[in-house]
């Protein structure tokens, strides 16, 4: 395991140090231009002076959309360099979430692209603290309503080096990020977003950890094909002096073809896009658009990538397809897979340098043995300010560790249940059922049972034409599906109740709305017991 060493410096020192090491080296490339590290550092200085000039005074909060463009890195580092607190906005956010984020953060300045600026202009009456809207992608003076073009905001601002006075405390909060969370959680907004605060030390440590884990260096070329510019990827690349090439085209083929054209060693993509790429008929060995042997790793983010998809991508691209594990409270990552890792179900790799992981009983918080299932707890320097007791973050996820410290994540704590004193992970059973070619979709939840705690209930949406004719044909099909799945499951995991559904209820994020399913099942169970 590499030893983690990170600087006792403010976050905004990252571009300054990168410029000192290799100012003429490319830092960020878009379809329009390339920004060198020296230019990035100069732009960060200009943004810092701009923020100081238009802020009402010390303590003003600046919001910025994490858009996948060359402006965001300068706004990110420049705002932090100015000594003001930065609040990040997802560029795809809607009006309700946008209002909640800016209200919760108390932002008075917002750096956003045109689409978000138009929403903010409409919300100005509801955001009394918001004083200035700066449009980062405006051409000339064409801006929505009362907003300013970035060029106007920067007019007359010198690009001489900027130093904050007084010097920044590395343990001070530098950035607020908003992460999905239960509505009842402390600090959550009305849209289910929780404000997570990161210090300079958290973010610098995360940059060092990620660059070590992903083997980034000054010669590295990376393609970022994610829908937003996550600070963890930005900071790790600038820390290492790596070149970041941004792909704004969401088409799966566009990102991997760009990686081939620029000779990328690292490709960052969403699991959903990688799944569509693997299914593309053009995706085959020898296609001229695919990257060559210089591609060293495909790093998958978002939802877990199916093992079969990961194997196909690996076999065609000739590079490992790696996943990790993280939460909003972790500056994104706590675990990563290493080259050579098998794409097993739920496998997310080993801890990042300087990170500890343990699995505990959900009730007593006592560590459990390897291969035993429990709740995951994480501790490390990248954890958000004011983390749990002893520095351990209770993740709310369920998993287990193998003998080598590799982590396997199986479900969310609120989804699991107990049958015969064994924790049952619905998502694992759903994956087994979903491999049956007769099943289009499925959801698993607990059916209360006084003797065993709970039994496995499964709701299944069958593919068109599968059930056969009449009720008996449907029952025979369901029995056959349950029998096939149960042959691969442990006694407690085996399906005891099965129901054919027309659709699976889902959350706005697209995941099964298990809470709604469980509420219905528990009501039906109570009615049965009193009948």
């Amino acid at each position: 395991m590499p030893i983690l060493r990170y600087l006792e410096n403010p976050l905004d020192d990252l571009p300054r140090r990168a410029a000192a090491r290799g100012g003429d080296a490319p830092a960020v490339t878009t379809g329009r231009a390339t920004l060198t590290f020296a230019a990035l550092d100069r732009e960060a200085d200009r943004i810092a002076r701009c923020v100081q000039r238009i802020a009402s005074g010390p303590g003003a909060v600046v919001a910025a959309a994490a858009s996948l463009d060359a402006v965001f890195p300068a706004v990110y580092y420049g705002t932090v360099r100015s000594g003001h607190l930065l609040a990040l906005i997802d560029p795809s956010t809607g009006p309700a979430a946008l209002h909640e984020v800016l209200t919760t953060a108390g932002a008075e300045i917002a750096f956003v692209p045109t689409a978000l600026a138009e929403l903010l202009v409409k919300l100005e009456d509801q955001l009394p603290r918001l004083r200035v809207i700066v449009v980062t992608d405006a051409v000339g003076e064409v801006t929505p309503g009362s907003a300013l073009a970035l060029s106007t905001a920067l007019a007359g601002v010198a690009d001489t080096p900027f130093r904050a006075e007084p010097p920044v405390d590395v343990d001070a909060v530098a950035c607020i990020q908003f992460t999905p969370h239960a509505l009842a959680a402390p600090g959550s907004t009305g849209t289910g977003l929780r404000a997570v605060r990161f210090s300079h030390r958290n973010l610098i440590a995360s940059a060092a950890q990620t660059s070590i884990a992903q083997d980034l260096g000054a010669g590295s070329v990376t393609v970022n094909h994610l829908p937003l510019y996550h600070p963890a990827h930005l900071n790790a690349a600038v820390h290492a002096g790596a070149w970041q090439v941004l792909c704004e085209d969401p088409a799966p083929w566009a990102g991997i073809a760009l990686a081939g054209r620029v000779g990328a060693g690292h490709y960052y993509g969403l699991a959903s896009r990688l799944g569509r790429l693997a299914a593309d008929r053009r995706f085959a060995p020898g296609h001229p658009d695919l990257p060559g042997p210089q591609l060293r790793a495909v790093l998958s983010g978002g939802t877990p990538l199916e093992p079969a998809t990961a194997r196909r991508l690996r076999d065609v691209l000739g590079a490992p397809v790696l996943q990790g594990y993280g939460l909003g409270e972790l500056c994104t990552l706590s675990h990563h897979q290493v080259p050579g890792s098998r794409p097993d179900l739920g496998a997310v790799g080993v801890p990042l340098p300087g990170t500890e992981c343990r699995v505990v009983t959900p009730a007593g918080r006592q560590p459990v043995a390897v291969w035993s299932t429990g709740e995951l707890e994480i501790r490390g320097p990248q954890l958000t300010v004011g983390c749990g007791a002893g520095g351990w973050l209770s993740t709310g996820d369920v998993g287990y560790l193998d003998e080598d410290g590799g982590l396997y994540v199986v479900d969310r704590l609120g989804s699991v249940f107990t049958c015969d004193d064994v924790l049952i992970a619905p998502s694992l059973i759903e994956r087994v059922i979903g491999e049956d070619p007769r099943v289009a979709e499925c959801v698993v939840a607990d059916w209360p049972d006084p003797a065993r705690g709970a039994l496995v209930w499964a709701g299944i949406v069958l593919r068109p034409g599968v059930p056969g004719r009449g009720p008996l044909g449907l029952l025979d099909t369901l029995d056959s599906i349950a029998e096939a799945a149960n042959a691969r499951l442990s006694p407690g995991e085996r399906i005891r109740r099965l129901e054919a559904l027309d659709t699976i209820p889902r959350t706005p994020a697209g995941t099964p709305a298990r809470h709604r399913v469980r509420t219905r099942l528990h009501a039906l169970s109570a009615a049965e017991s009193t009948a």
Side-chain angles (χ1 to χ4, degrees), residues 340-420:
S341 299
R342 293 179 56 188
D344 291 335
L345 192 65
V348 294
V350 296
L352 295 179
T355 303
E356 301 172 77
C357 174
R358 67 184 184 185
V359 179
V360 300
T361 56
R365 322 308 299 174
Q366 298 299 313
V368 301
V370 296
W371 304 111
S372 298
T373 304
E375 184 180 1
L376 310 179
E377 291 192 336
I378 308 293
R379 183 164 67 180
Q382 75 274 42
L383 262 66
T384 178
V385 174
C387 209
W392 288 101
L393 171 70
S394 296
T395 65
D397 285 328
V398 173
Y400 59 89
L401 298 171
D402 65 20
E403 293 172 339
D404 299 318
L407 175 62
Y408 294 75
V409 179
V410 296
D411 223 318
R412 287 292 295 170
L413 188 62
S415 300
V416 301
F417 55 91
T418 301
C419 178
D420 297 332

Side-chain angles (χ1 to χ4, degrees), residues 93-104 119 123 126-127 189-193:
T93 195
L98 184 62
H99 177 270
E100 292 287 349
V101 166
L102 267 69
T103 301
T104 302
L119 291 179
L123 293 170
Q126 304 172 45
L127 296 167
T189 72
T191 54
L193 298 174

Side-chain angles (χ1 to χ4, degrees), residues 102-444:
L102 267 69
T103 301
T104 302
E108 68 169 51
I109 303 168
F111 288 85
V112 292
T114 300
L116 285 184
E118 290 172 346
L119 291 179
L120 285 178
V121 168
K122 295 176 183 177
L123 293 170
E124 277 184 304
D125 292 343
Q126 304 172 45
L127 296 167
R129 300 191 67 175
L130 184 63
R131 297 175 50 251
V132 182
I133 302 170
V134 181
V135 187
T136 54
D137 61 350
V139 178
E141 296 301 315
V142 180
T143 57
S146 58
L148 297 173
L150 180 62
S151 57
T152 301
L154 291 174
V157 174
D159 61 0
T160 52
F162 180 93
R163 296 283 179 178
E165 294 293 341
V168 173
D169 178 2
V170 296
D171 289 313
V173 175
C175 178
I176 306 174
Q177 295 177 210
F178 289 84
T179 182
H181 208 281
L183 297 183
S188 65
T189 72
T191 54
L193 298 174
R194 187 173 69 176
V196 182
R197 296 170 176 266
F198 292 110
S199 68
H200 293 262
R201 186 187 300 277
N202 294 149
L203 295 163
I204 286 283
S206 173
Q209 290 173 311
T210 305
S211 63
I212 293 171
Q214 297 176 353
D215 195 22
L216 294 173
S220 299
V221 181
T222 71
V223 165
N224 186 335
H225 194 203
L226 299 167
L228 55 77
Y229 213 145
H230 200 291
H233 297 306
L234 170 62
N235 290 334
V238 176
H239 177 276
W243 178 21
Q244 303 169 80
V245 183
L246 312 182
C247 182
E248 299 174 73
D249 186 340
W253 195 266
I256 204 69
L258 178 60
R261 291 197 299 274
V262 300
H266 297 71
Y267 169 89
Y268 298 87
L270 282 181
S272 57
R273 291 178 181 174
L274 288 169
R276 296 199 300 276
L277 174 67
D280 193 307
R281 283 181 291 183
R282 295 171 292 176
F283 189 69
H287 193 287
D289 286 351
L290 295 180
Q294 73 279 359
L295 184 66
R296 296 167 50 204
V298 174
L299 297 115
S300 173
T303 57
L305 191 64
E306 288 297 324
T309 302
R311 286 192 290 269
R312 171 159 171 74
L313 291 164
R314 177 198 63 193
D315 293 344
V316 172
L317 294 172
V321 179
L322 307 175
Q323 301 180 79
Y325 170 76
L327 297 170
E329 293 86 349
L330 293 164
C331 296
T332 195
L333 280 181
S334 69
H335 287 71
H336 70 109
Q337 288 183 317
V338 298
S341 299
R342 293 179 56 188
D344 291 335
L345 192 65
V348 294
V350 296
L352 295 179
T355 303
E356 301 172 77
C357 174
R358 67 184 184 185
V359 179
V360 300
T361 56
R365 322 308 299 174
Q366 298 299 313
V368 301
V370 296
W371 304 111
S372 298
T373 304
E375 184 180 1
L376 310 179
E377 291 192 336
I378 308 293
R379 183 164 67 180
Q382 75 274 42
L383 262 66
T384 178
V385 174
C387 209
W392 288 101
L393 171 70
S394 296
T395 65
D397 285 328
V398 173
Y400 59 89
L401 298 171
D402 65 20
E403 293 172 339
D404 299 318
L407 175 62
Y408 294 75
V409 179
V410 296
D411 223 318
R412 287 292 295 170
L413 188 62
S415 300
V416 301
F417 55 91
T418 301
C419 178
D420 297 332
D421 296 325
V422 176
L423 280 178
I424 305 300
S427 62
L428 187 149
I429 302 172
E430 287 167 356
R431 287 172 181 151
V432 172
I433 297 172
E435 291 176 6
D436 192 305
R438 295 167 291 185
V439 176
E441 295 181 287
C442 65
V443 61
V444 170

